[in-house]
């Protein structure tokens, strides 16, 4: 790998040949200012928010807890990653429930609010300066500081808030030192605008988080990616950077073409580097984090606040007043719909996430998790008319659209034949499940669903 410090970036990358043009439906939810949700009467906090790991409860039913107090922690994937009470009150149950985004019940800590929102003071602001470079003793001290930083990030429960929830401490450890930091604010899904509103209203917090992460990485540069269709956010970000005067932090304005906001796609567009098959951006000297994750890091180190809330876009044709809401983790979806003026009509479908990669929710009684970036109460008109699947005509449109440069038509044949060896050869695991191939397919074949099944097939 070449020296990351010498890596160039493109401040305004050209539109890629891959991807698709989808109608952007963000404007309605960005008209009102960011709203703060009232305290919910009860929260259901999922203990399955760290991928591949179920957190172990640290509390018992009947116990009183404070807002921000640890209620569970992981023991396997990232030992010591904590999950926190998002309100103060009494633990009424520890049991399994279905939450937004899960198809099966998962363990949850249920807390009934006492209405006081009294905060736990176990996390203090600040951490001390990184020791100067130079002597061998200082090098060891710098390593200890970084290890302590990563532990503090895990204890604060910081996860990737772009939707994947990958533990931030683990990503920092994987990247090592000297990597370039790439902050992803280029949300490319239609409807979703939570990162847009975060940057518009809290750009200084995003930049503060960028500086903290840069220190932890010893990063020579940070590039903050935003979309060309986010003019208000771009202005707010430029103003925040001008006030700071740190020339190491720059912006890159990328196309709105979908899925330009994907992690690998951003690396390619901005740095001209291709993440190797089976690899991650740190393999080419880049660590990618969501802008909301950076803001959460700043909240932890500047204010002593762990991850207890997130911004959620509440939108769709069936919602009266689309908006963005900062809500406590574990708040029922129905509470956020009510804050958006309630339903103007019965939604044909309730979706968590965007229309391309989102998940249909069975009810609005489910609680949100750290992964809930958007709720779409969609009308029948927005969903379009269902169409019958027809045979593949091998037109090649799916190949042109695929951002991973795969051959979806060949993958489809291999999936239906159950040919796991062919699927691996064709690169099934490089599919990012973006749905671009579904969008352009004239035969209306649900390709992404097939490829998800193909990944299950090859994983055994």
């Amino acid at each position: 790998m070449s020296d990351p410090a010498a890596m160039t970036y493109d401040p305004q990358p050209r539109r890629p040949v891959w991807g698709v043009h989808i109608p952007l439906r963000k404007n309605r939810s960005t008209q009102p200012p960011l709203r703060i949700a009232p305290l919910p009467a009860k929260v259901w906090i999922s203990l399955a928010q760290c991928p591949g790991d179920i957190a172990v409860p640290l509390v018992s039913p009947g116990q009183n807890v404070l807002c921000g107090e640890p209620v569970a922690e992981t023991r396997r994937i990232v030992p010591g990653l904590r999950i926190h009470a998002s309100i103060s009150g009494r633990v009424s149950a520890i049991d399994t429930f279905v939450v937004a985004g899960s198809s099966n019940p998962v363990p949850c800590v249920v807390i009934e609010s006492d209405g006081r929102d009294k905060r736990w003071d176990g996390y203090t602001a600040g951490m001390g300066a990184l020791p100067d470079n130079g002597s061998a003793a200082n090098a060891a001290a710098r390593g200890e500081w970084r290890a302590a930083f990563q532990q503090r990030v895990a204890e604060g429960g910081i996860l990737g808030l772009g939707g994947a929830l990958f533990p931030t401490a683990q990503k920092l450890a994987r990247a090592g030192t000297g990597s370039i930091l790439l902050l992803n604010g280029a949300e490319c899904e239609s409807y979703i605008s939570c990162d847009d509103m975060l940057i518009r209203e809290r750009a200084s917090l995003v930049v503060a988080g960028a500086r903290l992460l840069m220190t932890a990485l010893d990063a020579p540069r940070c590039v903050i990616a935003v979309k060309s269709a986010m003019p208000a956010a771009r202005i707010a970000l430029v103003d925040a950077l001008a006030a700071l005067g740190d020339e190491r932090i720059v912006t890159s304005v990328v196309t709105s073409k979908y899925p330009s906001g994907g992690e690998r796609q951003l690396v390619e567009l901005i740095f001209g580097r291709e993440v190797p098959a089976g690899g991650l951006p740190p393999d080419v000297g880049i660590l990618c984090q969501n802008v909301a994750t950076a803001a959460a890091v700043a909240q932890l180190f500047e204010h002593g606040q762990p991850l207890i809330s997130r911004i959620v876009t509440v939108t769709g044709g069936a919602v009266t007043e689309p908006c963005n809401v900062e809500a406590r983790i574990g708040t029922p979806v129905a509470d956020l719909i009510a804050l958006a003026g309630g339903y103007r009509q019965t939604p044909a479908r309730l979706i968590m996430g965007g229309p391309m990669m989102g998940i249909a929710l069975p009810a609005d009684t489910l609680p949100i998790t750290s992964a809930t970036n958007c709720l779409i109460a969609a009308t029948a008109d927005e969903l379009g008319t269902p169409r019958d699947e027809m045979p593949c005509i091998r037109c090649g449109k799916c190949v042109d659209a695929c951002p991973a440069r795969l051959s979806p038509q060949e993958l489809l044949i291999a999936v239906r034949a159950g040919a796991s060896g062919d699927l691996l050869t064709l690169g099934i695991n490089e599919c990012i499940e973006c749905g671009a191939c579904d969008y352009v397919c004239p035969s209306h074949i649900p390709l992404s669903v097939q490829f998800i099944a193909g990944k299950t097939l090859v994983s055994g």
Side-chain angles (χ1 to χ4, degrees):
M1 183 180 70
S2 59
D3 180 11
M7 194 184 306
T8 59
Y9 79 101
D10 192 336
Q12 192 164 358
R14 290 188 295 176
R15 189 180 299 272
V17 294
W18 44 256
V20 294
H21 298 277
I22 59 176
L24 296 180
R25 295 174 175 171
K26 302 170 183 281
N27 288 343
R28 290 185 66 201
S29 62
T30 57
Q31 296 306 307
L34 178 64
R35 297 176 180 175
I36 308 299
L39 288 177
K42 184 185 289 189
V43 293
W44 290 256
I45 300 176
S46 169
L47 304 188
Q49 297 193 61
C50 177
D53 206 348
I54 303 293
V56 178
L58 302 175
V59 294
S60 303
Q63 181 176 338
N64 291 323
V65 294
L66 300 176
C67 180
E69 182 175 346
V71 297
E73 69 176 17
T74 58
R75 302 284 169 82
R76 295 190 304 109
I77 303 297
V78 182
L81 190 148
R82 296 175 177 174
I83 294 174
H84 303 82
S86 58
I87 57 174
S88 63
R90 183 180 68 88
V91 176
S92 61
I94 299 177
D95 206 342
T96 58
F97 300 89
V98 176
V99 301
S102 73
S103 56
N104 298 310
V106 297
C108 295
V109 172
V110 185
I111 304 172
E112 295 181 357
S113 175
D114 58 15
R116 298 185 301 160
D117 201 32
K118 189 172 181 181
R119 299 299 174 112
W120 189 67
D121 60 3
Y123 298 121
T124 57
M127 189 176 158
L130 177 69
D132 292 334
N133 210 347
S135 66
N138 276 12
R142 289 168 70 88
E144 292 171 0
W145 187 95
R146 291 193 174 93
F149 184 95
Q150 292 169 18
Q151 181 180 356
R152 180 83 171 275
V153 167
E155 290 174 349
I158 310 300
L159 299 165
L161 296 178
L165 298 185
F166 200 81
T168 302
Q170 189 175 5
K171 292 186 77 169
L172 289 169
R174 170 69 188 265
T177 59
S179 297
I180 286 178
L181 176 64
L182 173 60
L183 291 190
N184 187 353
E187 52 195 2
C188 55
E189 274 260 31
S190 181
Y191 290 93
I192 306 176
S193 61
C194 54
D195 289 345
D196 187 343
M197 291 302 294
L198 169 67
I199 298 172
R200 289 189 194 200
E201 301 204 8
R202 300 176 183 175
S204 60
L205 195 65
V206 173
V207 173
R211 284 168 61 88
L212 285 162
L213 291 169
M214 289 181 73
T215 300
L217 290 167
D218 198 15
R221 170 168 288 168
C222 170
V223 179
I224 305 178
V226 292
K227 273 204 329 249
S228 56
M230 297 166 58
R234 287 159 52 196
I235 291 170
L237 190 56
V238 168
D239 288 346
L241 292 176
L244 181 67
D246 189 338
E247 295 183 355
R248 301 174 304 159
I249 307 177
V250 295
T251 63
S252 181
V253 181
V254 301
T255 174
S256 295
K257 194 175 183 183
Y258 178 85
S260 59
E263 185 175 77
R264 291 167 176 258
Q265 286 65 49
L266 273 186
V267 170
E268 177 188 338
L269 289 172
I270 295 173
F271 299 101
R273 301 217 166 185
E274 185 175 346
V275 178
L280 295 168
D283 296 331
V284 293
I286 298 162
L287 175 67
C288 189
Q289 297 280 11
N290 183 263
V291 289
T293 305
V297 169
Q299 289 279 28
L300 177 65
F301 284 92
E302 294 192 346
H303 306 288
Q305 178 178 298
L307 182 61
I308 58 172
S309 66
R310 69 153 300 135
I311 298 174
V312 182
T313 302
V314 186
T315 187
V319 167
T320 303
E321 302 171 9
C323 60
N324 280 273
V325 179
E326 183 176 14
R328 303 295 177 92
I329 305 302
T331 299
V333 167
D335 288 17
L336 305 189
I337 297 292
L339 196 60
Y343 296 117
R344 58 193 294 266
Q345 66 183 79
T346 302
R349 187 176 302 163
L350 188 60
I351 301 168
M352 176 180 129
M356 299 293 285
M357 298 180 69
I359 301 169
L361 301 182
D364 61 11
T365 54
L366 304 185
I368 68 167
T369 71
S370 302
T372 309
N373 56 359
C374 182
L375 298 167
I376 305 173
T379 63
D381 288 343
E382 290 174 297
L383 294 175
T385 304
R387 299 185 180 182
D388 294 333
E389 178 182 334
M390 296 182 292
C392 173
I393 60 173
R394 301 187 68 83
C395 64
K397 289 184 178 180
C398 57
V399 177
D400 294 337
C402 180
R405 298 181 175 86
L406 302 177
S407 179
Q409 56 195 19
E410 299 299 333
L411 284 169
L412 178 65
I413 294 171
V415 169
R416 289 179 169 171
S420 56
D422 289 346
L423 287 171
L424 288 172
T425 301
L426 291 166
I428 184 69
N429 288 325
E430 299 308 305
C431 170
I432 64 172
E433 302 168 21
C434 66
C437 53
D438 298 326
Y439 191 81
V440 299
C441 180
S443 296
H444 315 297
I445 301 171
L447 294 162
S448 295
V449 173
Q450 299 279 353
F451 302 154
I452 292 170
K455 289 182 180 182
T456 302
L457 178 64
V458 299
S459 65

